[in-house]
Amino acid sequence: MPFPSDTAPDTEVFDLIDREVERQCTGLQLIASENFTSPAVMRAVGSALTNKYAEGYPGKRYYGGNAIVDDIESIAIERVKALFGADHANVQPHSGANANMCAYQAVLDAGDTVLGLSLDHGGHLTHGSPVNASGKLYHFVAYKVTPGDERVDMDQVRDLALEHRPKLIVAGTTSYPRRLEPEAFKAIADEVGALFMFDAAHIAGLIAGGAHPNPVPYADIVTFTTHKTLRGPRGGCILSTAQHAAAIDKAVFPGWQGGPLEHVIAGKAVAFHEAAQPSFRDYAQQIVRNASALADALVQRGFRLVSGGTDIHLMVVDLRPFDADLTGKEAQTVLDVAGITLNKNSIPDDPRSPFVTSGVRIGTPSVTTQGMKEPEMVRIAELISRALRHRTDAAELAAVKADVASLCAAFPAY
Ligand SMILES: *Cc1c(COP(=O)(O)O)cnc(C)c1O
């Protein structure tokens, strides 16, 4: 069967999709949680698999006609288990947030105590924020970064664990530029009799590529998104020890979700295969080298980096030493005009509100996929500081935007 082609394209929507492809390809994509998937991943996600209902798991579906889908989901499961060395995998979570809620449901009862990194110090909403279901269903206690070095202090994590006796300790970050060492968390979890979950949403690709320690040997459960550094389709995944396998599967379906997105699961299978190739190891190492190079170049231009730098694919930039009046919100808006896409971000103990902030978060996964290396990171730092220095000068911002477009044209995303 040939790939279906549409006879009456919906120009209203497809013209907008064309414009979005143009935006992605002519600007610098520096949002730390984004990436460019391969065309093969997009083809799987855009496939006829979207038509199939497959509630249940391979070999145990509620509806008929699932023999092929069973094969696809089984391949995804086997590939991701091999990639991370896990006993069990569930590839059905629709997103990282869903993966976390399912993992909690598998091992916690409502009201149980959990330790997680504070949202405003780099954690995620699903690590107990009061506006998120995690914070309403469970009793989260937050650990924070230390004011001096802006790093998570494992002595503080241990003290809180001894004081609150959590049933689960969660490690994992969204806007924290340093590694959290899985082994150190595991030791504390063992000492207080807690389970240990590592949320690897951001760094799954770094782990797969050998650029970050693998938490799987230490954690009871590892959750992650497939669309960030792992460079797959938008979605989530849960790995666990054999002990938690049945509870995890029950929590995903029928606990939280209905029919799985088998087209996305096919895209995940393709991405897991891509991440197992030697070239992906080079990619993961280059992401980290690029982040270091960009961090150094920004410091040279008068920015301060939270914790002084980065170990991973992202950095959080404190804008105040560069310009005391410049907020994260304004920086995001100005850079958008110049074709540079990133997000405002609170810095630890930010005096400004989360809607304004004093910082921005910058990540290198997308530009590294485009093939950019250290020299381009220096150019990016220069473009960012030029745009922010001339932020009220429309002509200069247009000139930066043209320079951004010519840099991107030399490193096409597709
Ligand atoms: C991105 C992220 C998530 C949520 O992923 P979604 O797919 O957006 O739901 C969960 N945890 C962490 C640490 C993340 O960075």
Side-chain angles (χ1 to χ4, degrees):
M1 286 284 289
F3 194 69
S5 64
D6 38 0
T7 47
D10 175 345
T11 50
E12 194 176 5
V13 170
F14 282 92
D15 287 354
L16 286 168
I17 293 176
D18 285 348
R19 281 177 53 198
E20 172 60 11
V21 173
E22 166 105 9
R23 185 196 68 79
Q24 290 183 15
C25 294
T26 54
L28 281 166
Q29 308 307 327
L30 298 175
I31 291 181
S33 48
E34 292 183 353
N35 213 326
F36 292 107
T37 65
S38 68
V41 166
M42 286 194 284
R43 181 150 167 246
V45 173
S47 72
L49 294 170
T50 193
N51 300 331
K52 192 69 198 93
Y53 241 111
E55 282 175 335
Y57 290 100
K60 291 169 284 190
R61 306 285 189 184
Y62 283 73
Y63 302 151
N66 275 307
I68 295 166
V69 155
D70 278 2
D71 283 352
I72 288 170
E73 188 167 336
S74 298
I75 288 171
I77 290 168
E78 291 313 314
R79 285 181 180 175
V80 77
K81 281 164 60 180
L83 189 62
F84 293 99
D87 291 342
H88 178 70
N90 188 307
V91 296
Q92 292 191 0
H94 301 333
S95 68
N98 277 26
N100 286 349
M101 296 312 293
C102 295
Y104 298 151
Q105 175 156 316
V107 296
L108 299 174
D109 294 310
D112 277 346
T113 298
V114 187
L115 224 55
L117 177 60
S118 170
L119 175 67
D120 55 350
H121 284 202
H124 190 258
L125 279 165
T126 56
H127 299 183
S129 161
V131 301
N132 183 264
S134 59
K136 296 183 195 295
L137 278 170
Y138 308 108
H139 174 235
F140 268 83
V141 175
Y143 54 91
K144 292 175 172 278
V145 302
T146 309
D149 63 1
E150 298 174 302
R151 293 178 190 233
V152 171
D153 170 11
M154 293 310 291
D155 289 337
Q156 187 213 7
V157 175
R158 181 169 175 269
D159 288 347
L160 285 171
L162 287 167
E163 182 185 344
H164 295 279
R165 295 278 159 181
K167 192 160 172 188
L168 178 70
I169 298 178
V170 179
T173 58
T174 295
S175 55
Y176 176 73
R178 299 294 179 177
R179 286 180 175 179
L180 292 182
E181 298 295 341
E183 201 171 352
F185 276 89
K186 168 68 173 163
I188 294 170
D190 282 349
E191 185 180 350
V192 302
L195 293 169
F196 172 38
M197 169 175 141
F198 198 103
D199 177 353
H202 261 267
I203 55 170
L206 302 184
I207 295 165
H212 187 287
N214 184 0
V216 167
Y218 305 102
D220 297 280
I221 301 173
V222 174
T223 60
F224 60 92
T225 63
T226 46
H227 51 274
K228 296 181 184 174
T229 51
L230 194 57
R231 210 162 65 178
R234 190 158 295 281
C237 186
I238 306 175
L239 308 175
S240 76
T241 57
Q243 187 199 341
H244 299 290
I248 293 284
D249 286 353
K250 254 175 72 185
V252 175
F253 177 83
W256 274 91
Q257 297 189 164
L261 312 177
E262 292 295 341
H263 53 307
V264 178
I265 289 172
K268 291 174 184 175
V270 172
F272 298 150
H273 177 71
E274 291 174 358
Q277 303 311 305
S279 58
F280 198 86
R281 295 189 80 80
D282 299 338
Y283 169 62
Q285 318 288 331
Q286 189 64 47
I287 293 177
V288 174
R289 282 199 296 270
N290 280 353
S292 296
L294 183 54
D296 290 347
L298 287 168
V299 167
Q300 279 168 21
R301 283 160 182 79
F303 296 92
R304 187 187 80 85
L305 298 184
V306 169
S307 83
T310 174
D311 301 329
I312 52 172
H313 62 296
L314 68 80
M315 63 214 74
V316 179
V317 183
D318 178 356
L319 299 164
R320 295 171 305 177
F322 178 82
D323 182 336
D325 297 329
L326 178 61
T327 66
K329 183 180 175 194
E330 190 184 5
Q332 178 183 314
T333 306
V334 165
L335 291 170
D336 218 11
V337 172
I340 299 170
T341 307
L342 47 65
N343 61 283
K344 64 176 183 284
N345 208 99
S346 295
I347 58 172
D349 303 318
D350 202 318
R352 296 184 173 115
S353 88
F355 303 102
V356 180
T357 81
S358 302
V360 293
R361 186 184 67 162
I362 304 182
T364 54
S366 297
V367 291
T368 307
T369 295
Q370 286 173 273
M372 295 190 197
K373 295 206 161 70
E374 289 87 337
E376 287 74 41
M377 298 305 117
V378 178
R379 282 182 68 187
I380 291 173
E382 185 54 40
L383 291 163
I384 290 172
S385 74
R386 221 174 104 203
L388 293 178
R389 283 226 182 283
H390 300 278
R391 63 185 190 274
T392 56
D393 180 344
E396 185 63 17
L397 292 180
V400 173
K401 187 173 188 182
D403 288 349
V404 164
S406 71
L407 173 59
C408 293
F411 295 90
Y414 293 112

